[in-house]
Amino acid sequence: MKVMAQVAMVMNLDKCIGCHTCSVTCKQAWTNRAGVEYVWFNNVETRPGQGYPRRYEDQDKWRGGWERNRRGRISLKTGGRARRLLSIFASPVQPELSDYYEPWTYDYENLTRAPLGDDFPVARPKSLITGEDMAITWSANWDDNLGGGPSAAMLDPIVEKVRRESEDKIRFDLERTFMFYLPRICEHCLNPSCMASCPSGAIYKREEDGIVLVDQDRCRGWRQCITGCPYKKIYFNHKSGKAEKCTFCYPRVEVGIPTVCAETCVGRLRYIGVFLYDADRVTEAASVENDQDLYEAQLDLMLDPHDPDVIAAARNEGIPQDWIDGAQRSPVYALAKKYKVALPLHPEYRTMPMVWYVPPLSPIVDLLAEQGHDAEDAGTLFGAIEALRIPVEYLAELFTAGDTEVVTDVLRKLAAMRSYMRGINLGKDPDDSIPASVGMTEESMYEMYRLMAIAKYDERYVIPTAHTEQAHDLEEMGCSLDFDEGPGMYESGPVGEASGRPVPMAVETFHALKQRQESDTIAAPDPQRSGQVNLLNWDGLGAPDGLFPGKGDEG
Amino acid sequence: MNVVLWGVYPYLVLVVFFGGLIWRYRYDQFGWTTRSSQLYESKLLRIASPLFHFGILVVVVGHFIGLVIPESWTDAIGVSEHMYHVMALSLGAVAGIATLAGVALLIYRRRKTGPVFMATTKNDKLMYVVLVAAIVAGLATTVVSVFDPNVTNYRETVSPWFRSLWVLQPDVDAMAAASTSFHVHVVVGLALFAIWPFTRLVHAFTAPLHYLFRPYIVYRSRDDVPGTRAARPGWDPVGTRDRDR
């Protein structure tokens, strides 16, 4: 047993109101740069719907993730190593920009610059790729709230599958009975297929917290990872020619604060905590024969942080005590393994995803209320979950590779919790038969209620900080003179600031913020640091002032 | 003139080539990429790119055999001159034409697809000119050697000169005796190597062959990120062993 720690997330879909705040704040924090205009590390999809990029779940087409071969081992769906190298010159199944969408801006200047005339000036949409006028036909959430109607929702690969399997016996009215939001970030998988597809070995999983990152210095733009990831959560920066992905906001998580998407979530539906898992058994778990056993196999990998053997093994592996403490208080462990209400997204891709979802009960409750039932009565709800086959089948395709029993169990637990707590809130005697009917005790049901409904900040986010004895590494400290305005600061190499040793990120951020707050114009070069341009922010067009040092102003 | 072209120029190119590669590898890891444009357009790329790349790989192998393996060796294993040249020419012509067709299609695509053209830098344009010139000149040597009986045997002129470069005794006379078509191809080819480290072609030198051997899952500890180098001998940071993990 090799115990490793993994920072993971649970999203409670019942609470998602589809406001896209997480997407917007994530974009502001990470992808508001040239080259990644079309990229959303966090996006919110309306289900049923096609998702982003369009129909990414159709693995017959995109060939993402792993599959189990006849010898009982898993291999990449696009083929083995040699086959991947042979197809490196043109990845056969890489999505094009049109599968995401063509990013655009508006010609706002025309509103003020247009000459006087009879017509109101308009701000035409301009492509951010070609600069030409364009017709907007798709975006990252074009089918938001079932926009585009049944014709768009029918293209949902899961809808197609559920329809096919129900053989159209039941009238298809899924889109009228059922709609919910699915926020998605990188899954930071235990068995990531993007990493396995990367020819350069630039994608890595951090030993300390399991966050999956792309080493921007080692990525060579072979773009196999984009095909490899079944969730299509690795993106190609078309300006820098490198792959980029969700970072789980590692600079924030390292200091114990939640990711930007979680912090700004209006519905407070995200939970972040630590899992301890057995790294030795990951491949074995990902190779189980039956797709529907993958959820159980994945759950088995998650170790009980209260088990003395696990604690001893964790200490042995050098996992710090506060991480073990964090794992014991972990909300994600509680929701996924203790109460078993959080499920992984598409376990059948065999990547062991580490962002888990509590499936939504609300659509069923809403439907019952509309029909005039007492929607929070345990009996009514239980009956409805059984009767509403289509939503359950749909959820099962998303979260359990089609095993409706698991989804039904989760929904029954959520229904029981509502019903039980409603009784208490109405001043009735607690009805212990309700928790018992879903195999829970009154105490555990109340604890689950606290975690899911009260959801205090410090219970939702239990993030042990990166370690103090490692702090000097995290600060990227090399020489104490290199800091702030120290004499070693901003020493130029032979080809400007970006050459030679990288400036510590904290220092770079500090200066960039300061500059942004104080300068009058956009991206004005700092007169005190002439000859210095942050190449990461340069879009490659033209030569900004200060790209090259002036001729006679040394010193 | 011969000394400058075949005695000095190759060494200048070598210095620029290896110096440039080392410099770029050390200072520009972030810029070291294929700069793929597949995101913009993939239909043409899917045909053109493999055509070009596989073609050029065969061409590279052909050059290696032609330049590095002495004629006496192939004679020794009983490959007659005629046999060798028929094989080399036929295979070389096929690969060369595939390469040229590939690169022509790639350039057509680059010019005609708006976003791809916009993503083309001056550096790229210069590189394409030199690259195409080298391929065309190379194909021309093949064509000329088929139709012109007076053409010299490159295995007696260019190849000995090439091998002599590496022992720092450049055989300028041998190269000078080669036909003009070889002269042109070598000059342009050397120019391609000179600009190589400074163009997007560098991606060839990080061809990911180690992918065949590495484990699928890569774990990395937080502190071995580039930028936090190991201390050099004599420059260990202050501290005691037990503070290390």
Side-chain angles (χ1 to χ4, degrees), chain A residues 13 20 30 79 130 188 204 230 300 331 341 353 452 488 529 552:
Chain A
L13 296 184
H20 300 275
W30 291 103
T130 61
H188 296 274
Y204 61 99
D300 276 350
V341 290
M452 296 187 69
R529 297 192 284 126

Side-chain angles (χ1 to χ4, degrees), chain A residues 129-310:
Chain A
I129 302 295
T130 61
E132 307 285 322
D133 284 342
M134 64 174 275
I136 301 168
T137 53
W138 197 258
S139 78
N141 61 336
W142 195 255
D143 51 359
D144 202 23
N145 290 350
L146 300 180
S151 57
M154 289 299 183
L155 289 170
D156 179 337
I158 297 179
V159 169
E160 283 179 353
K161 185 159 185 234
V162 173
R163 267 192 105 179
R164 206 163 48 233
E165 282 168 10
S166 67
E167 290 161 351
D168 296 321
K169 265 182 246 159
I170 12 178
R171 195 178 152 263
F172 192 77
D173 55 1
L174 193 149
E175 72 273 12
R176 279 198 287 116
T177 63
F178 199 58
M179 180 191 98
F180 65 99
Y181 302 101
L182 182 72
R184 293 200 304 127
I185 62 171
C186 164
E187 302 283 338
H188 296 274
C189 305
L190 298 185
N191 187 35
S193 52
C194 59
M195 190 182 287
S197 335
C198 174
S200 310
I203 304 179
Y204 61 99
K205 194 168 181 67
R206 302 211 298 187
E207 278 172 20
E208 290 84 354
D209 50 20
I211 294 176
V212 176
L213 296 174
V214 181
D215 183 339
Q216 291 288 303
D217 274 350
R218 287 183 65 186
C219 172
R220 303 289 177 227
W222 302 118
R223 61 210 182 281
Q224 303 291 315
C225 53
I226 298 163
T227 305
C229 174
Y231 303 94
K232 292 291 172 278
K233 274 294 173 190
I234 294 212
Y235 303 91
F236 189 71
N237 180 327
H238 59 89
K239 279 277 191 308
S240 69
K242 307 255 167 171
E244 293 190 15
K245 66 180 287 300
C246 158
T247 62
F248 214 90
C249 289
Y250 72 90
R252 292 172 61 93
V253 168
E254 277 176 5
V255 292
I257 49 178
T259 62
V260 169
C261 53
E263 179 80 270
T264 59
C265 176
V266 175
R268 303 182 179 183
L269 58 95
R270 300 194 188 214
Y271 297 77
I272 297 176
V274 173
F275 280 120
L276 298 180
Y277 71 99
D278 186 356
D280 279 343
R281 288 195 292 123
V282 170
T283 310
E284 181 194 324
S287 315
V288 297
E289 188 179 352
N290 193 339
D291 277 355
Q292 296 191 348
D293 295 336
L294 280 160
Y295 161 64
E296 277 299 330
Q298 177 165 339
L299 213 53
D300 276 350
L301 288 179
M302 303 300 135
L303 300 169
D304 179 1
H306 296 281
D307 181 344
D309 291 343
V310 171

